[in-house]
Every structure is written in structure tokens, then in C-alpha cells.
Amino acid sequence: MARLKTHDEALRLRLINRAAATVFDRGAGALSLRRLAADVKTSTTAVYSLFGNKAGLIDSLYQEAVRLFISRLTAVGSTDDPAADVVRLGIAYRDYAIANPHLYGIVFADRLDYEPAPERLNEAGSTIEPLVDAVARGQAAGQFGKEGSAEVIALSCWGAAHGLVSLELSGNAPTGLDIGAVYEETLHAVVSGWRARAGDGGHSAPPPRP
């Protein structure tokens, strides 16, 4: 009978998720490999076997948070209405953040006290690529004007999503404002503004939930 493999991918992901929750709640200084192993009910040997050391754990934590975020945005896919796809990507952005605030905080809230290597920064930078692609397809279809680059239009949409989500997660939204209730409407307004610049008038059917 083959020997059971204990230091597997399932354990690695459990350790990463627990580490992310610890950093999110108490900061990177609270992250201890011994304590992490105890929390996940494994050995410190398993932690060292999977990550090498604390620096390796933190690097893996950042990489996994970025990977899952990219996977969520990529899963949105594309339709024959690129402007609607932009809104759907914005909805997926918030869905990921709300479902995984500890991982979202790792990517965007600078909680790790960690300087990513250039390849990690490139991976993080690629998270906007599905949105740039949707805008570029919208420009080709005449939905968005071509006087601005796809990257600039995408960045404005991304910034609106990021700002609202960050306010929502931090609890710093203005009193009485329910960001979740106005989030999709705001995305439509941003997209409609760019469509109006193209002479489209901003008309688009609301997209389906991704």
C-alpha cells in the first residue's frame, strides 16, 4: 500500500488560508510558524517542508492570493457585449473581496510588510488584464471611444471598483451609505460615461451576474 502523503496541496492551502486570516486580523508580526502549525493541527516540520521558512510562507501567501484573484476574474469570460463584461468583471471583483477579505487584504492592503520580487509584481499587475481586454473589445465594437487607451479606461473602472470595495471592507463608508446597494449602479454609471464619450449614449442592458 502506498504511503499516505501528508504534506499535500490540501494542507498547503489550509496553512495559507490560516496564515492570511492571521495577517488580516493581527498583522504580519503575529504570524508564527509554530503557532500556525498548531492552529492547523499539523507539525512545524510540515510547514517547513512546504514553505522552507517564514519568508517562503509569506511569498507563497502573496502568490496564492494573486492567483485566486486572477482565477476569479478570468472565470467571468467574455460575451458579445464587452461593455457589459466590464460591469461583470467589477461585480466579480467585489464578490472575490467580500468572500475572501483576508486574501484581498494580502494583495491590496499592504499587510505583509513584504517586498514582492519582480515576477510577483508582474503577476499582480496581470490582474487587470481581463478588464483591459474587455475594454479593447468594446473599443473595437464602437462601444468605447478610441481617443483614450484601453488601459486608461480600464484603470478608471478598476479604480471605481477598488475604491468602493476598500471603503466597504474597511468600514469607512460614509454613515448611512450602503455600498453594496449602490455598487453595481456605480459601475454602470462609469461605463455609461465612457460610452457617452464614444457617442453610444451609455445604453446597455444590465449584465447577468457572473
Side-chain angles (χ1 to χ4, degrees):
M1 178 181 293
R3 184 176 180 181
L4 179 65
K5 185 177 180 181
T6 57
H7 302 176
D8 59 9
E9 180 67 5
L11 175 60
R12 189 183 76 87
L13 291 177
R14 292 209 319 274
L15 288 164
I16 282 176
N17 276 288
R18 180 60 190 177
T22 298
V23 172
F24 182 76
D25 291 335
R26 293 181 284 152
L31 188 59
S32 157
L33 299 189
R34 185 179 299 276
R35 180 61 184 171
L36 176 64
D39 287 345
V40 180
K41 296 181 172 53
T42 188
S43 66
T44 53
T45 299
V47 180
Y48 281 106
S49 174
L50 287 165
F51 302 108
N53 52 29
K54 184 175 179 179
L57 170 64
I58 288 175
D59 185 62
S60 294
L61 178 53
Y62 183 84
Q63 184 181 22
E64 185 67 12
V66 170
R67 184 191 70 80
L68 291 173
F69 188 45
I70 292 173
S71 177
R72 179 66 185 90
L73 296 179
T74 302
V76 172
S78 60
T79 70
D80 58 0
D81 187 349
D85 292 343
V86 170
V87 176
R88 292 170 65 239
L89 284 163
I91 293 170
Y93 185 109
R94 178 175 178 270
D95 286 348
Y96 175 85
I98 296 301
N100 307 281
H102 55 304
L103 294 174
Y104 180 85
I106 294 300
V107 178
F108 292 108
D110 193 26
R111 294 177 181 270
L112 283 179
D113 189 25
Y114 153 78
E115 186 64 37
E119 61 268 24
R120 296 287 180 262
L121 290 175
N122 288 337
E123 290 167 3
S126 71
T127 56
I128 200 173
E129 289 179 0
L131 184 57
V132 173
D133 175 71
V135 171
R137 288 187 292 107
Q139 287 181 313
Q143 291 181 322
F144 300 119
K146 296 183 179 181
E147 68 276 8
S149 69
E151 289 78 11
V152 168
I153 297 173
L155 183 61
S156 73
C157 298
W158 184 281
H162 178 76
L164 289 175
V165 167
S166 297
L167 284 172
E168 184 175 10
L169 290 181
S170 68
N172 290 325
T175 302
L177 179 60
D178 183 351
I179 289 179
V182 303
Y183 182 79
E184 189 171 339
E185 179 182 356
T186 301
L187 297 181
H188 279 290
V190 174
V191 169
S192 292
W194 283 107
R195 296 190 70 159
R197 289 169 62 93
D200 182 78
H203 301 297
S204 177
R209 294 285 295 180

